[in-house]
Structures are given as C-alpha cells and as structure tokens.
Amino acid sequence: MSFYDASVPAFLQILGSLSGLLTKAEAHCAAKNIQPEVLLGARLYPDMLPLSKQIQLACDFAGKGCARLAHIDVPSTPDTEKTFEDLRQRLAKTSDYLKKFTPAQFEGADSREVTFPVGPDKTLTLKGQGVLNRFVFPNFYFHAATAHGILRHNGVEIGKRDFLGVA
C-alpha cells in the first residue's frame, strides 16, 4: 500500500463522517430547542476544547499533515467558524484540498525528514512515517473521536457507525 493510500482516504472518510455528525447535531438542536452555540461550545470536561475547536483541529491535522508529508506549503486556516454550516464548509474545504493530492506527491514521504510545530515555540523533526503514525494520525483521530464523544454525551443519537461514516 502506498503512503498516499494509507493516509488520504482515511482522512476523507472521517472528515465526511464528521460532516454527517454535525448535520445530526444541528437537527438535535432544532428538535430539542437547544441553541446551536451551546452544543458548539460543549466540552467533555472544563479544561478540554469545545466541539467547534475539535472539528477545526481534525481538519488541521489532516490538511496540514498531508501538506507536510508532500513537502509543500502548509495552508493557513484561521479558526473563524461559528455555526454548524461554517464547520461543515471547513470540513468540505479540507476534503477538497486533500482530493487535490496525488500519490506521486507522497513518494518517498515515509523516509523524508519533516519538521513541524509541537507547541508555540517548539518544533520536532521526524521521518514522514513517524510524523504520520506518531503525530498526525493520533491527533486527527483524537479530535475526531472527541467531537463524537461530545455530541454523544450531549444526547445526539449517534453511534460508532456514524463515526465511521457507514451509518
């Protein structure tokens, strides 16, 4: 399996499922007379990031991770989304961005050194395989699963099949 095939389709699957989760969350808000900003600001614990930021970060890890692996400029993605529709648009833009990548751009990425930020004033350099498996995938899936957990915790009727995008 190519490095491209191991990454881009996996990102696209979950980004698509997150869009579906947001649609169900918005319907839940309408049905239960909940203000959307309440759910968009919901957290699993007070020191964790809210739902909206979980979606933004999942997008960032997919898009920026692929850019770094393909050794191209990392896109700037300001966090301006305030509504379910804004977040679905961000997911769609990220998916469209990922669909422009080609397998050729990922050739040799597994062994190429990649330097990336790991905090405000810190960077880390790893081979591409390590970047994908030890940093990008874990962070991407953490934020996607946390978004799912926030919605489920707040009563949105979703399950594992929704997370996987096969519901």
Side-chain angles (χ1 to χ4, degrees), residues 33-55:
N33 200 24
I34 298 169
Q35 293 298 314
E37 53 275 1
V38 171
L39 197 50
L40 291 167
R43 303 164 188 257
L44 286 177
Y45 196 76
D47 69 349
M48 293 181 74
L49 296 170
L51 173 64
S52 58
K53 188 67 174 173
Q54 301 295 341
I55 300 294

Side-chain angles (χ1 to χ4, degrees), residues 67-146:
R68 289 185 179 102
L69 292 169
H71 209 60
I72 63 172
D73 290 336
V74 176
S76 172
T77 52
D79 298 333
T80 59
E81 297 81 14
K82 303 276 188 232
T83 66
F84 285 111
E85 182 56 29
D86 291 345
L87 289 169
R88 280 193 300 270
Q89 286 178 16
R90 181 161 179 161
L91 288 160
K93 286 179 189 175
T94 303
S95 293
D96 290 345
Y97 176 73
L98 294 177
K99 290 174 185 175
K100 293 177 184 173
F101 283 96
T102 65
Q105 289 176 286
F106 285 75
E107 287 181 19
D110 57 327
S111 59
R112 183 182 312 127
E113 285 198 348
V114 178
T115 300
F116 56 96
V118 291
D121 300 320
K122 291 180 129 182
T123 60
L124 183 62
T125 301
L126 297 171
K127 300 281 188 198
Q129 187 73 45
V131 171
L132 184 63
N133 289 329
R134 293 176 42 205
F135 190 77
V136 175
F137 273 156
N139 278 286
F140 173 75
Y141 284 112
F142 172 84
H143 292 293
T146 300

